[in-house]
């Protein structure tokens, strides 16, 4: 375990099981139709890669980069699109892939953003959900695991751009972010 962690919250085997279950659910619901999976960088990168590999059906992929946090730990409520999808979403069924839902601001914005661009449907899959932190209610279609309000890192999730490459998810020691 990384020295900055106080414990592991979700280990590699559990992550693998969660991803397999979500992949089967999405495969079942989307079937073989033409649809678009949109990853929200950077946090979703490992989750989305593993999710895609675990799915049977083919689909298109794209990415957005949005900013809401800066380098701090509190959401500002403002969301800016720093990198947009690189194709038309007119008439497309979109599944947004997130690593975590916290305040809900990012997804509240993105769902409306893609509908405004003409998407036929916009759904959400998130690896983790922290409902205790929610400020905006949003319907979430697929949730990997509901987690408590702890500061977690790893498997794509960062603190100050660190720890994203860990293959498991751990709880950061408070002294790391309060120093
Ligand atoms: C995180 C996470 C979500 C968002 C969730 O991204 O990946 O996109 O915050 O928070 P919210 O529900 O309060 O909007 P972050 O801005 O930290 O960027 P990153 O994905 O590059 O780590």
């Amino acid at each position: 375990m990384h020295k900055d962690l106080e414990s592991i919250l979700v280990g590699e085997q559990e992550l693998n099981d969660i991803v397999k279950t979500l992949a089967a659910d999405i495969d079942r619901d989307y079937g073989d139709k033409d649809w678009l999976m949109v990853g929200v960088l950077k946090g979703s990168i490992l989750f989305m890669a593993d999710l895609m590999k675990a799915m049977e059906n083919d689909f298109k992929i794209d990415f957005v980069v949005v900013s809401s946090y800066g380098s701090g730990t509190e959401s500002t409520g403002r969301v800016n699109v720093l990198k947009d999808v690189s194709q038309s979403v007119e008439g497309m069924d979109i599944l947004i892939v997130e690593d975590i839902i916290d305040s809900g601001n990012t997804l509240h914005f993105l769902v409306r953003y893609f509908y405004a661009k003409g998407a036929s449907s916009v759904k959400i899959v998130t690896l983790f959900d922290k409902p205790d932190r929610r400020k905006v209610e949003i319907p979430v279609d697929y949730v990997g695991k509901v987690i408590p309000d702890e500061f977690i890192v790893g498997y794509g999730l960062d603190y100050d751009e660190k720890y994203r490459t860990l293959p498991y998810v751990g709880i950061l020691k408070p002294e790391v972010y309060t120093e």
Side-chain angles (χ1 to χ4, degrees):
M1 184 175 76
H2 193 287
K3 64 175 175 46
D4 292 351
L5 300 181
E6 64 179 28
S7 62
I8 291 178
L9 183 68
V10 191
E12 291 184 63
Q13 185 57 54
E14 187 179 354
L15 283 169
N16 195 35
D17 293 344
I18 291 169
V19 167
K20 282 213 170 102
T21 301
L22 290 171
D25 289 347
I26 296 165
D27 261 331
R28 183 198 60 222
D29 294 350
Y30 280 76
D32 244 351
K33 68 181 178 187
D34 187 28
W35 63 279
L36 181 66
M37 179 182 276
V38 177
V40 185
L41 294 174
K42 305 170 193 164
S44 67
I45 181 155
L46 292 186
F47 171 48
M48 181 162 161
D50 285 344
L51 187 66
M52 292 192 296
K53 286 190 288 182
M55 288 182 59
E56 306 239 320
N57 291 312
D58 193 24
F59 46 88
K60 293 175 179 152
I61 66 166
D62 212 323
F63 299 94
V64 289
V65 178
V66 295
S67 70
S68 59
Y69 274 7
S71 62
T73 57
E74 287 295 323
S75 174
T76 59
R78 290 190 309 273
V79 179
N80 299 308
V81 177
L82 304 180
K83 181 230 168 289
D84 205 344
V85 288
S86 56
Q87 59 202 282
S88 169
V89 301
E90 183 89 40
M92 292 295 283
D93 294 305
I94 292 180
L95 179 65
I96 302 173
V97 183
E98 266 289 21
D99 53 338
I100 190 163
I101 305 178
D102 196 286
S103 70
N105 285 327
T106 303
L107 284 170
H108 177 73
F109 169 83
L110 278 176
V111 169
R112 291 188 305 166
Y113 181 73
F114 286 127
Y115 275 125
K117 281 161 95 59
S120 286
S121 71
V122 184
K123 291 188 174 183
I124 295 166
V125 55
T126 187
L127 176 58
F128 297 121
D129 187 7
K130 264 188 191 174
D132 295 348
R133 300 264 303 174
R134 199 74 93 250
K135 291 184 182 151
V136 192
E137 278 317 314
I138 41 161
V140 186
D141 304 279
Y142 307 93
V143 177
K145 188 178 173 85
V146 174
I147 55 166
D149 187 13
E150 303 276 7
F151 203 110
I152 59 167
V153 294
Y155 198 63
L157 290 96
D158 75 310
Y159 169 64
D160 210 10
E161 296 301 328
K162 289 184 289 205
Y163 316 108
R164 290 196 200 272
T165 60
L166 297 174
Y168 50 80
V169 173
I171 298 174
L172 202 56
K173 287 178 179 167
E175 61 259 37
V176 176
Y177 55 88
T178 51
E179 267 171 4

